[in-house]
Amino acid sequence: MDKVKPFVDHEAAAALAAKGTVGKKLGAVVPMRRRRNSRTMDDGDADLGPEWATLMLLHEPATDPDSRRAWLTETWIRAYVPPWKVPIHKIRDYLGDLFGFYFLFLSVLAKWCLYVGVMGVAVFVAAATAPEARGGGVTQSPRRQLPSVVFAPVLVLWGGAFFADFKRQQASYAKEWGSYAWAVARPKTRPAFVGIPQTDLVYGKIVIDWPDSRRRKAVFLSWLVVAALLLLAVLVIAAITNFKQSYGRERYLGGFVSGTDLATVASIAQVQVLNGLYKDVARTMTRRENWKTDAQYADHLTSKLVLFKLCNTFASIVFVAFLDAFNAHGCGALRHGGGCLHETYLAIWPLFLSGAAASFLGQFLAPWVQHRRVVAKTRGVYGGDDDEDPLRVVARRQFVETAEYDNIEDTIDDYLELAVQFGYVAGFGAAFPLAPLLCFFLNTVQLKQDGYKLLWFHRRPLPLEVRSIGVWEKIFGLILKASIFSNCGIQGEKRAKFPTSKAPLSAIFHSFWLIFGRAIISRNGLEAWVLSPNARAQNTHFEATLNLSCPAQAASSSSRPRSRTA
């Protein structure tokens, strides 16, 4: 603590409080470090002032029972609060708009997982207690697969209804919080951006930017690395599949472990190890691309992480569900006529549960252990003489005991876990009917887990100017549309070969989800808009702001034809 000394800057705290997203009962901490140039800091340099290294918002004191931090901890974290009653407004007032929208999405997803999870339990019980069933879960008998096949179109409709409800609530909260005022805000330059002086081709001014030719080379190299790692993942999956088909019935370790068990463990290791490896590679490659704004950096990092993690996680499941049936030694060669639905169930649940455990260990247990180690090392002693400002002691404690939360990269990790979870439910929930209910319990725990982590293990995040969940809205929409094809394959002829008497019933259900499922996905944004009076009101507010700030863009926006709704 002799080289980094925090001090309290009340003026910076007041400036941040004026933004409206931070309370007034806080302090701003700016760590002070010694100068590392040719001149050393001595008594004669005292008038130069401290160096600013970083800005940290103070959490409200833990000893204050009237603080919002204490209220959230006692009323929300430590008490039983169902997901649909999470205090979104209180969370947003304390942590900012970014986390207000994040916890809103998480709470709405948990609520809708409960709705479809009840039906998923009924499907699981119907398949497990059927007379011809052998074992639990989705059975191998084609006659017993009917509940799961019926469940497939329900999941498509569920996904569209969930997305419409979330968009409606997001628009309502954004209007109430005034988030649409950030729509015309000028993007800020990233602190890590390194530019060179260039001449603006339009205005002829000197601007700090990065040549597009250099950036294109860096982007090309990044996607070349992505392709190489995806090829590596495919090769590993092919090797595991070949081992499973060749030695699946062999016994190892004294007969306690089969070849299939070893293949399952290898699949779990392949998913977790490659996902963790690629996360660091993607961050390094995106930083080398040297994007100018935070939005550009976040979008390109998100695209790389989403593409690789979804492909790496679901590639083996897609192979078993849709391609293994054409393999001479795959599930299509099994004696029963149930297709690969049962094998898909056996491939999903280990990856699903191991992913949930890895997420808990990485996002909560590791910060908790780190926090306890720091507390044990310092023994909670941070000064506090009679003549010292008590706020300095609080600032010193929080600076040492809490870790910094990256509003961009750490938020991407949180949403990425939800994207994988949503893919399990919407895309393959018919093969693993317990997935929706398990997601409800996991998201209920994650609401409190993330809240406690942000309140006690991390420094108070700086507020960001956001008006929605951003690019993740498109990503979840793409996952929802991709679930149409996965549910179509599960419901198709090769997945569940019904007797002739059941063929008309299968055709009816196939047409049902294909028509109405696509309709609700393509119209869910419109439904969210029409169902929300606040959303229509915020459109008027947004157009008024646009008219004042950018008349040309407002004129082009008003010239577009609008659809009439009753």
Side-chain angles (χ1 to χ4, degrees), residues 507-535:
I508 292 175
F509 280 117
H510 180 82
S511 302
F512 173 75
W513 77 261
L514 188 61
I515 296 174
F516 291 96
R518 286 189 176 181
I520 195 169
I521 289 175
S522 61
R523 295 175 58 86
N524 56 26
L526 179 61
E527 289 175 0
W529 187 264
V530 172
L531 293 176
S532 174
N534 291 331

PDB file of all heavy atoms in Angstrom, residues 507-535:
ATOM      1  N   ALA A 507     -47.777 -35.596 -38.883  1.00  0.00           N
ATOM      2  CA  ALA A 507     -47.862 -34.551 -39.910  1.00  0.00           C
ATOM      3  C   ALA A 507     -48.605 -33.321 -39.399  1.00  0.00           C
ATOM      4  O   ALA A 507     -48.236 -32.180 -39.701  1.00  0.00           O
ATOM      5  CB  ALA A 507     -48.564 -35.109 -41.153  1.00  0.00           C
ATOM      6  N   ILE A 508     -49.655 -33.549 -38.580  1.00  0.00           N
ATOM      7  CA  ILE A 508     -50.412 -32.415 -38.028  1.00  0.00           C
ATOM      8  C   ILE A 508     -49.525 -31.577 -37.116  1.00  0.00           C
ATOM      9  O   ILE A 508     -49.481 -30.345 -37.219  1.00  0.00           O
ATOM     10  CB  ILE A 508     -51.656 -32.927 -37.279  1.00  0.00           C
ATOM     11  CG1 ILE A 508     -52.654 -33.534 -38.268  1.00  0.00           C
ATOM     12  CG2 ILE A 508     -52.305 -31.797 -36.491  1.00  0.00           C
ATOM     13  CD1 ILE A 508     -53.850 -34.173 -37.603  1.00  0.00           C
ATOM     14  N   PHE A 509     -48.803 -32.244 -36.228  1.00  0.00           N
ATOM     15  CA  PHE A 509     -47.936 -31.517 -35.311  1.00  0.00           C
ATOM     16  C   PHE A 509     -46.812 -30.816 -36.067  1.00  0.00           C
ATOM     17  O   PHE A 509     -46.417 -29.701 -35.721  1.00  0.00           O
ATOM     18  CB  PHE A 509     -47.357 -32.459 -34.261  1.00  0.00           C
ATOM     19  CG  PHE A 509     -48.313 -32.768 -33.146  1.00  0.00           C
ATOM     20  CD1 PHE A 509     -48.764 -34.060 -32.937  1.00  0.00           C
ATOM     21  CD2 PHE A 509     -48.772 -31.770 -32.306  1.00  0.00           C
ATOM     22  CE1 PHE A 509     -49.648 -34.345 -31.919  1.00  0.00           C
ATOM     23  CE2 PHE A 509     -49.651 -32.042 -31.281  1.00  0.00           C
ATOM     24  CZ  PHE A 509     -50.087 -33.331 -31.076  1.00  0.00           C
ATOM     25  N   HIS A 510     -46.286 -31.464 -37.095  1.00  0.00           N
ATOM     26  CA  HIS A 510     -45.214 -30.854 -37.881  1.00  0.00           C
ATOM     27  C   HIS A 510     -45.701 -29.554 -38.529  1.00  0.00           C
ATOM     28  O   HIS A 510     -45.029 -28.525 -38.474  1.00  0.00           O
ATOM     29  CB  HIS A 510     -44.748 -31.838 -38.947  1.00  0.00           C
ATOM     30  CG  HIS A 510     -43.654 -31.299 -39.815  1.00  0.00           C
ATOM     31  ND1 HIS A 510     -42.330 -31.301 -39.433  1.00  0.00           N
ATOM     32  CD2 HIS A 510     -43.689 -30.726 -41.046  1.00  0.00           C
ATOM     33  CE1 HIS A 510     -41.599 -30.759 -40.381  1.00  0.00           C
ATOM     34  NE2 HIS A 510     -42.399 -30.409 -41.375  1.00  0.00           N
ATOM     35  N   SER A 511     -46.859 -29.585 -39.130  1.00  0.00           N
ATOM     36  CA  SER A 511     -47.404 -28.384 -39.760  1.00  0.00           C
ATOM     37  C   SER A 511     -47.721 -27.313 -38.723  1.00  0.00           C
ATOM     38  O   SER A 511     -47.540 -26.114 -38.963  1.00  0.00           O
ATOM     39  CB  SER A 511     -48.668 -28.744 -40.546  1.00  0.00           C
ATOM     40  OG  SER A 511     -48.387 -29.722 -41.523  1.00  0.00           O
ATOM     41  N   PHE A 512     -48.188 -27.766 -37.547  1.00  0.00           N
ATOM     42  CA  PHE A 512     -48.573 -26.827 -36.496  1.00  0.00           C
ATOM     43  C   PHE A 512     -47.407 -25.948 -36.071  1.00  0.00           C
ATOM     44  O   PHE A 512     -47.467 -24.730 -36.113  1.00  0.00           O
ATOM     45  CB  PHE A 512     -49.113 -27.610 -35.288  1.00  0.00           C
ATOM     46  CG  PHE A 512     -49.375 -26.752 -34.089  1.00  0.00           C
ATOM     47  CD1 PHE A 512     -50.480 -25.922 -34.039  1.00  0.00           C
ATOM     48  CD2 PHE A 512     -48.519 -26.792 -33.001  1.00  0.00           C
ATOM     49  CE1 PHE A 512     -50.719 -25.140 -32.930  1.00  0.00           C
ATOM     50  CE2 PHE A 512     -48.748 -26.021 -31.898  1.00  0.00           C
ATOM     51  CZ  PHE A 512     -49.854 -25.190 -31.858  1.00  0.00           C
ATOM     52  N   TRP A 513     -46.297 -26.588 -35.677  1.00  0.00           N
ATOM     53  CA  TRP A 513     -45.174 -25.780 -35.192  1.00  0.00           C
ATOM     54  C   TRP A 513     -44.479 -25.051 -36.318  1.00  0.00           C
ATOM     55  O   TRP A 513     -43.942 -23.967 -36.140  1.00  0.00           O
ATOM     56  CB  TRP A 513     -44.183 -26.633 -34.404  1.00  0.00           C
ATOM     57  CG  TRP A 513     -43.273 -27.489 -35.227  1.00  0.00           C
ATOM     58  CD1 TRP A 513     -43.402 -28.797 -35.509  1.00  0.00           C
ATOM     59  CD2 TRP A 513     -42.069 -27.062 -35.865  1.00  0.00           C
ATOM     60  NE1 TRP A 513     -42.372 -29.230 -36.283  1.00  0.00           N
ATOM     61  CE2 TRP A 513     -41.531 -28.184 -36.519  1.00  0.00           C
ATOM     62  CE3 TRP A 513     -41.390 -25.854 -35.953  1.00  0.00           C
ATOM     63  CZ2 TRP A 513     -40.355 -28.132 -37.246  1.00  0.00           C
ATOM     64  CZ3 TRP A 513     -40.217 -25.807 -36.680  1.00  0.00           C
ATOM     65  CH2 TRP A 513     -39.719 -26.938 -37.315  1.00  0.00           C
ATOM     66  N   LEU A 514     -44.455 -25.638 -37.538  1.00  0.00           N
ATOM     67  CA  LEU A 514     -43.758 -25.002 -38.647  1.00  0.00           C
ATOM     68  C   LEU A 514     -44.424 -23.687 -39.039  1.00  0.00           C
ATOM     69  O   LEU A 514     -43.772 -22.676 -39.259  1.00  0.00           O
ATOM     70  CB  LEU A 514     -43.720 -25.948 -39.847  1.00  0.00           C
ATOM     71  CG  LEU A 514     -42.860 -25.505 -41.035  1.00  0.00           C
ATOM     72  CD1 LEU A 514     -41.418 -25.367 -40.608  1.00  0.00           C
ATOM     73  CD2 LEU A 514     -42.997 -26.477 -42.176  1.00  0.00           C
ATOM     74  N   ILE A 515     -45.759 -23.695 -39.072  1.00  0.00           N
ATOM     75  CA  ILE A 515     -46.486 -22.485 -39.490  1.00  0.00           C
ATOM     76  C   ILE A 515     -46.527 -21.455 -38.370  1.00  0.00           C
ATOM     77  O   ILE A 515     -46.072 -20.319 -38.506  1.00  0.00           O
ATOM     78  CB  ILE A 515     -47.904 -22.860 -39.953  1.00  0.00           C
ATOM     79  CG1 ILE A 515     -47.827 -23.762 -41.203  1.00  0.00           C
ATOM     80  CG2 ILE A 515     -48.712 -21.609 -40.251  1.00  0.00           C
ATOM     81  CD1 ILE A 515     -49.177 -24.290 -41.648  1.00  0.00           C
ATOM     82  N   PHE A 516     -47.061 -21.864 -37.221  1.00  0.00           N
ATOM     83  CA  PHE A 516     -47.247 -20.909 -36.139  1.00  0.00           C
ATOM     84  C   PHE A 516     -45.933 -20.555 -35.460  1.00  0.00           C
ATOM     85  O   PHE A 516     -45.774 -19.444 -34.962  1.00  0.00           O
ATOM     86  CB  PHE A 516     -48.241 -21.470 -35.122  1.00  0.00           C
ATOM     87  CG  PHE A 516     -49.643 -21.559 -35.649  1.00  0.00           C
ATOM     88  CD1 PHE A 516     -50.131 -22.738 -36.172  1.00  0.00           C
ATOM     89  CD2 PHE A 516     -50.465 -20.450 -35.637  1.00  0.00           C
ATOM     90  CE1 PHE A 516     -51.418 -22.832 -36.660  1.00  0.00           C
ATOM     91  CE2 PHE A 516     -51.756 -20.529 -36.132  1.00  0.00           C
ATOM     92  CZ  PHE A 516     -52.240 -21.717 -36.653  1.00  0.00           C
ATOM     93  N   GLY A 517     -44.992 -21.510 -35.410  1.00  0.00           N
ATOM     94  CA  GLY A 517     -43.705 -21.192 -34.817  1.00  0.00           C
ATOM     95  C   GLY A 517     -42.966 -20.120 -35.593  1.00  0.00           C
ATOM     96  O   GLY A 517     -42.462 -19.159 -35.025  1.00  0.00           O
ATOM     97  N   ARG A 518     -42.925 -20.256 -36.902  1.00  0.00           N
ATOM     98  CA  ARG A 518     -42.252 -19.238 -37.704  1.00  0.00           C
ATOM     99  C   ARG A 518     -43.010 -17.907 -37.639  1.00  0.00           C
ATOM    100  O   ARG A 518     -42.403 -16.835 -37.646  1.00  0.00           O
ATOM    101  CB  ARG A 518     -42.155 -19.704 -39.154  1.00  0.00           C
ATOM    102  CG  ARG A 518     -41.099 -20.790 -39.368  1.00  0.00           C
ATOM    103  CD  ARG A 518     -40.889 -21.051 -40.837  1.00  0.00           C
ATOM    104  NE  ARG A 518     -39.817 -22.014 -41.070  1.00  0.00           N
ATOM    105  CZ  ARG A 518     -39.427 -22.396 -42.256  1.00  0.00           C
ATOM    106  NH1 ARG A 518     -40.008 -21.900 -43.332  1.00  0.00           N
ATOM    107  NH2 ARG A 518     -38.440 -23.262 -42.389  1.00  0.00           N
ATOM    108  N   ALA A 519     -44.317 -17.986 -37.577  1.00  0.00           N
ATOM    109  CA  ALA A 519     -45.100 -16.752 -37.531  1.00  0.00           C
ATOM    110  C   ALA A 519     -44.813 -15.965 -36.263  1.00  0.00           C
ATOM    111  O   ALA A 519     -44.597 -14.753 -36.300  1.00  0.00           O
ATOM    112  CB  ALA A 519     -46.585 -17.076 -37.631  1.00  0.00           C
ATOM    113  N   ILE A 520     -44.760 -16.672 -35.126  1.00  0.00           N
ATOM    114  CA  ILE A 520     -44.564 -15.953 -33.876  1.00  0.00           C
ATOM    115  C   ILE A 520     -43.140 -15.433 -33.751  1.00  0.00           C
ATOM    116  O   ILE A 520     -42.884 -14.388 -33.163  1.00  0.00           O
ATOM    117  CB  ILE A 520     -44.928 -16.848 -32.666  1.00  0.00           C
ATOM    118  CG1 ILE A 520     -45.071 -15.990 -31.416  1.00  0.00           C
ATOM    119  CG2 ILE A 520     -43.880 -17.922 -32.433  1.00  0.00           C
ATOM    120  CD1 ILE A 520     -45.675 -16.737 -30.246  1.00  0.00           C
ATOM    121  N   ILE A 521     -42.169 -16.143 -34.366  1.00  0.00           N
ATOM    122  CA  ILE A 521     -40.793 -15.653 -34.328  1.00  0.00           C
ATOM    123  C   ILE A 521     -40.642 -14.424 -35.209  1.00  0.00           C
ATOM    124  O   ILE A 521     -39.990 -13.453 -34.851  1.00  0.00           O
ATOM    125  CB  ILE A 521     -39.823 -16.763 -34.760  1.00  0.00           C
ATOM    126  CG1 ILE A 521     -39.759 -17.841 -33.679  1.00  0.00           C
ATOM    127  CG2 ILE A 521     -38.439 -16.212 -35.029  1.00  0.00           C
ATOM    128  CD1 ILE A 521     -38.924 -19.023 -34.068  1.00  0.00           C
ATOM    129  N   SER A 522     -41.258 -14.442 -36.376  1.00  0.00           N
ATOM    130  CA  SER A 522     -41.114 -13.310 -37.281  1.00  0.00           C
ATOM    131  C   SER A 522     -41.901 -12.100 -36.824  1.00  0.00           C
ATOM    132  O   SER A 522     -41.598 -10.976 -37.202  1.00  0.00           O
ATOM    133  CB  SER A 522     -41.576 -13.713 -38.688  1.00  0.00           C
ATOM    134  OG  SER A 522     -42.945 -14.094 -38.668  1.00  0.00           O
ATOM    135  N   ARG A 523     -42.909 -12.309 -35.962  1.00  0.00           N
ATOM    136  CA  ARG A 523     -43.755 -11.201 -35.542  1.00  0.00           C
ATOM    137  C   ARG A 523     -43.584 -10.846 -34.071  1.00  0.00           C
ATOM    138  O   ARG A 523     -44.285  -9.967 -33.581  1.00  0.00           O
ATOM    139  CB  ARG A 523     -45.227 -11.553 -35.789  1.00  0.00           C
ATOM    140  CG  ARG A 523     -45.595 -11.723 -37.242  1.00  0.00           C
ATOM    141  CD  ARG A 523     -47.031 -12.183 -37.376  1.00  0.00           C
ATOM    142  NE  ARG A 523     -47.972 -11.263 -36.766  1.00  0.00           N
ATOM    143  CZ  ARG A 523     -48.483 -10.205 -37.375  1.00  0.00           C
ATOM    144  NH1 ARG A 523     -48.135  -9.941 -38.611  1.00  0.00           N
ATOM    145  NH2 ARG A 523     -49.339  -9.419 -36.763  1.00  0.00           N
ATOM    146  N   ASN A 524     -42.646 -11.515 -33.383  1.00  0.00           N
ATOM    147  CA  ASN A 524     -42.583 -11.258 -31.952  1.00  0.00           C
ATOM    148  C   ASN A 524     -42.155  -9.824 -31.640  1.00  0.00           C
ATOM    149  O   ASN A 524     -42.596  -9.242 -30.664  1.00  0.00           O
ATOM    150  CB  ASN A 524     -41.646 -12.252 -31.251  1.00  0.00           C
ATOM    151  CG  ASN A 524     -40.246 -12.246 -31.844  1.00  0.00           C
ATOM    152  OD1 ASN A 524     -39.796 -11.253 -32.411  1.00  0.00           O
ATOM    153  ND2 ASN A 524     -39.562 -13.361 -31.722  1.00  0.00           N
ATOM    154  N   GLY A 525     -41.283  -9.243 -32.483  1.00  0.00           N
ATOM    155  CA  GLY A 525     -40.913  -7.864 -32.243  1.00  0.00           C
ATOM    156  C   GLY A 525     -42.100  -6.925 -32.412  1.00  0.00           C
ATOM    157  O   GLY A 525     -42.292  -5.994 -31.640  1.00  0.00           O
ATOM    158  N   LEU A 526     -42.931  -7.169 -33.440  1.00  0.00           N
ATOM    159  CA  LEU A 526     -44.114  -6.349 -33.642  1.00  0.00           C
ATOM    160  C   LEU A 526     -45.104  -6.511 -32.499  1.00  0.00           C
ATOM    161  O   LEU A 526     -45.709  -5.540 -32.040  1.00  0.00           O
ATOM    162  CB  LEU A 526     -44.775  -6.718 -34.977  1.00  0.00           C
ATOM    163  CG  LEU A 526     -46.062  -5.955 -35.337  1.00  0.00           C
ATOM    164  CD1 LEU A 526     -45.773  -4.470 -35.453  1.00  0.00           C
ATOM    165  CD2 LEU A 526     -46.650  -6.493 -36.635  1.00  0.00           C
ATOM    166  N   GLU A 527     -45.268  -7.753 -32.011  1.00  0.00           N
ATOM    167  CA  GLU A 527     -46.175  -7.975 -30.895  1.00  0.00           C
ATOM    168  C   GLU A 527     -45.693  -7.246 -29.646  1.00  0.00           C
ATOM    169  O   GLU A 527     -46.470  -6.651 -28.923  1.00  0.00           O
ATOM    170  CB  GLU A 527     -46.296  -9.468 -30.614  1.00  0.00           C
ATOM    171  CG  GLU A 527     -47.056 -10.231 -31.677  1.00  0.00           C
ATOM    172  CD  GLU A 527     -47.052 -11.720 -31.405  1.00  0.00           C
ATOM    173  OE1 GLU A 527     -46.464 -12.136 -30.401  1.00  0.00           O
ATOM    174  OE2 GLU A 527     -47.641 -12.444 -32.204  1.00  0.00           O
ATOM    175  N   ALA A 528     -44.394  -7.287 -29.389  1.00  0.00           N
ATOM    176  CA  ALA A 528     -43.867  -6.585 -28.225  1.00  0.00           C
ATOM    177  C   ALA A 528     -44.103  -5.079 -28.344  1.00  0.00           C
ATOM    178  O   ALA A 528     -44.331  -4.394 -27.354  1.00  0.00           O
ATOM    179  CB  ALA A 528     -42.373  -6.869 -28.076  1.00  0.00           C
ATOM    180  N   TRP A 529     -44.069  -4.584 -29.568  1.00  0.00           N
ATOM    181  CA  TRP A 529     -44.287  -3.155 -29.788  1.00  0.00           C
ATOM    182  C   TRP A 529     -45.761  -2.788 -29.621  1.00  0.00           C
ATOM    183  O   TRP A 529     -46.096  -1.796 -28.997  1.00  0.00           O
ATOM    184  CB  TRP A 529     -43.806  -2.804 -31.187  1.00  0.00           C
ATOM    185  CG  TRP A 529     -43.813  -1.325 -31.481  1.00  0.00           C
ATOM    186  CD1 TRP A 529     -44.762  -0.612 -32.104  1.00  0.00           C
ATOM    187  CD2 TRP A 529     -42.775  -0.410 -31.151  1.00  0.00           C
ATOM    188  NE1 TRP A 529     -44.395   0.688 -32.207  1.00  0.00           N
ATOM    189  CE2 TRP A 529     -43.178   0.845 -31.625  1.00  0.00           C
ATOM    190  CE3 TRP A 529     -41.551  -0.535 -30.503  1.00  0.00           C
ATOM    191  CZ2 TRP A 529     -42.399   1.975 -31.466  1.00  0.00           C
ATOM    192  CZ3 TRP A 529     -40.775   0.600 -30.354  1.00  0.00           C
ATOM    193  CH2 TRP A 529     -41.206   1.830 -30.826  1.00  0.00           C
ATOM    194  N   VAL A 530     -46.636  -3.597 -30.191  1.00  0.00           N
ATOM    195  CA  VAL A 530     -48.059  -3.285 -30.153  1.00  0.00           C
ATOM    196  C   VAL A 530     -48.626  -3.459 -28.748  1.00  0.00           C
ATOM    197  O   VAL A 530     -49.465  -2.684 -28.291  1.00  0.00           O
ATOM    198  CB  VAL A 530     -48.829  -4.180 -31.158  1.00  0.00           C
ATOM    199  CG1 VAL A 530     -50.317  -4.004 -30.995  1.00  0.00           C
ATOM    200  CG2 VAL A 530     -48.404  -3.837 -32.572  1.00  0.00           C
ATOM    201  N   LEU A 531     -48.142  -4.478 -28.019  1.00  0.00           N
ATOM    202  CA  LEU A 531     -48.687  -4.756 -26.709  1.00  0.00           C
ATOM    203  C   LEU A 531     -48.249  -3.757 -25.660  1.00  0.00           C
ATOM    204  O   LEU A 531     -48.794  -3.735 -24.573  1.00  0.00           O
ATOM    205  CB  LEU A 531     -48.264  -6.166 -26.254  1.00  0.00           C
ATOM    206  CG  LEU A 531     -48.865  -7.321 -27.055  1.00  0.00           C
ATOM    207  CD1 LEU A 531     -48.293  -8.633 -26.557  1.00  0.00           C
ATOM    208  CD2 LEU A 531     -50.374  -7.334 -26.951  1.00  0.00           C
ATOM    209  N   SER A 532     -47.282  -2.922 -25.950  1.00  0.00           N
ATOM    210  CA  SER A 532     -46.742  -2.026 -24.942  1.00  0.00           C
ATOM    211  C   SER A 532     -47.107  -0.579 -25.265  1.00  0.00           C
ATOM    212  O   SER A 532     -46.564   0.008 -26.196  1.00  0.00           O
ATOM    213  CB  SER A 532     -45.223  -2.168 -24.874  1.00  0.00           C
ATOM    214  OG  SER A 532     -44.701  -1.211 -24.006  1.00  0.00           O
ATOM    215  N   PRO A 533     -48.026   0.032 -24.521  1.00  0.00           N
ATOM    216  CA  PRO A 533     -48.305   1.453 -24.730  1.00  0.00           C
ATOM    217  C   PRO A 533     -47.079   2.315 -24.451  1.00  0.00           C
ATOM    218  O   PRO A 533     -46.856   3.327 -25.107  1.00  0.00           O
ATOM    219  CB  PRO A 533     -49.434   1.745 -23.732  1.00  0.00           C
ATOM    220  CG  PRO A 533     -50.023   0.409 -23.407  1.00  0.00           C
ATOM    221  CD  PRO A 533     -48.890  -0.561 -23.505  1.00  0.00           C
ATOM    222  N   ASN A 534     -46.258   1.908 -23.467  1.00  0.00           N
ATOM    223  CA  ASN A 534     -45.057   2.677 -23.169  1.00  0.00           C
ATOM    224  C   ASN A 534     -44.081   2.664 -24.339  1.00  0.00           C
ATOM    225  O   ASN A 534     -43.365   3.627 -24.577  1.00  0.00           O
ATOM    226  CB  ASN A 534     -44.366   2.116 -21.924  1.00  0.00           C
ATOM    227  CG  ASN A 534     -45.177   2.355 -20.669  1.00  0.00           C
ATOM    228  OD1 ASN A 534     -45.916   3.326 -20.584  1.00  0.00           O
ATOM    229  ND2 ASN A 534     -45.038   1.465 -19.701  1.00  0.00           N
ATOM    230  N   ALA A 535     -44.058   1.537 -25.072  1.00  0.00           N
ATOM    231  CA  ALA A 535     -43.163   1.461 -26.228  1.00  0.00           C
ATOM    232  C   ALA A 535     -43.596   2.440 -27.309  1.00  0.00           C
ATOM    233  O   ALA A 535     -42.767   3.079 -27.944  1.00  0.00           O
ATOM    234  CB  ALA A 535     -43.139   0.035 -26.769  1.00  0.00           C
TER     235      ALA A 535
END
